[in-house]
Amino acid sequence: EPGSKRTTRTPCSADACVWAAPPQAETDGLESLTMRSLAAVLGVATMSLYNHVKDKEHLLLGVVNMVTAEIGLPGPGTPPWDTLRYITREFRRVALRHPRLVPLTMRQPPTGFEAIMVVEVAFDALSRAGIKASLTARAYRLTSSSALAFVSLECGGCIETRALAPADHVAPVDA
């Protein structure tokens, strides 16, 4: 119609909600991320978000799963201890890229396909390293909890962050 102002808006979707959340949380802190603030970023009414995400907890789980998907996996045939080092370094790399989301991963463990693949690769590496099947889950929890604790301290500013060159054979926790 002549004289009417129509705006083109990107359609809202669950993916749009999840993709819009991390920049706000990383800029203003996780506590600043509300459904109202997310709706403002997306240019939609707050209540319309609930057509795409059940609630804030489901939104946050989507964010955790999206960030976890950034963790790379080593190639097949990588020796078991190298595989575990690789996964730990990848977790650290992703955490340092999204430091304000690290507390979220502690309270909202990922459930997405990529997260399950990380666990599967780690379990396989532990098994190939000779860890008994009855102890694999415990060994994984020990290593992943240690990595999460270290990265949480590092992202919280308690430990000095230092870069690792690709050829480095010592992880920060090894030093």
Side-chain angles (χ1 to χ4, degrees), residues 63-101:
V63 170
V64 169
N65 287 335
M66 181 186 74
V67 170
T68 303
E70 294 180 27
I71 297 173
L73 295 174
T78 302
W81 297 115
D82 291 343
T83 295
L84 293 170
R85 270 190 286 281
Y86 188 93
I87 291 171
T88 302
R89 287 179 176 170
E90 277 293 288
F91 172 71
R92 178 179 180 259
R93 179 188 64 78
V94 171
L96 292 176
R97 188 166 175 224
H98 305 283
R100 288 187 150 184
L101 297 178

Side-chain angles (χ1 to χ4, degrees), residues 13-39:
S13 66
D15 286 344
C17 293
V18 168
W19 280 94
Q24 180 183 355
E26 290 168 358
T27 301
D28 301 324
L30 193 55
E31 61 284 345
S32 73
L33 179 62
T34 64
M35 296 301 266
R36 180 170 289 162
S37 64
L38 181 62

Side-chain angles (χ1 to χ4, degrees), residues 50-129:
Y50 295 99
N51 292 322
H52 307 287
V53 291
K54 182 178 175 182
D55 54 27
K56 185 176 177 181
E57 289 307 308
H58 279 82
L59 171 70
L60 295 176
L61 179 58
V63 170
V64 169
N65 287 335
M66 181 186 74
V67 170
T68 303
E70 294 180 27
I71 297 173
L73 295 174
T78 302
W81 297 115
D82 291 343
T83 295
L84 293 170
R85 270 190 286 281
Y86 188 93
I87 291 171
T88 302
R89 287 179 176 170
E90 277 293 288
F91 172 71
R92 178 179 180 259
R93 179 188 64 78
V94 171
L96 292 176
R97 188 166 175 224
H98 305 283
R100 288 187 150 184
L101 297 178
V102 170
L104 181 59
T105 63
M106 293 174 65
R107 107 168 189 238
Q108 187 100 24
T111 59
F113 174 79
E114 291 83 1
I116 293 169
M117 287 305 302
V118 170
V119 173
E120 286 289 325
V121 170
F123 272 42
D124 177 65
L126 290 165
S127 175
R128 289 184 294 123

Side-chain angles (χ1 to χ4, degrees), residues 145-169:
S145 295
S146 297
L148 184 57
F150 180 84
V151 165
S152 295
L153 290 170
E154 187 176 25
C155 288
C158 297
I159 298 173
E160 182 180 332
T161 300
R162 68 181 176 98
L164 290 177
D168 281 350
H169 295 289

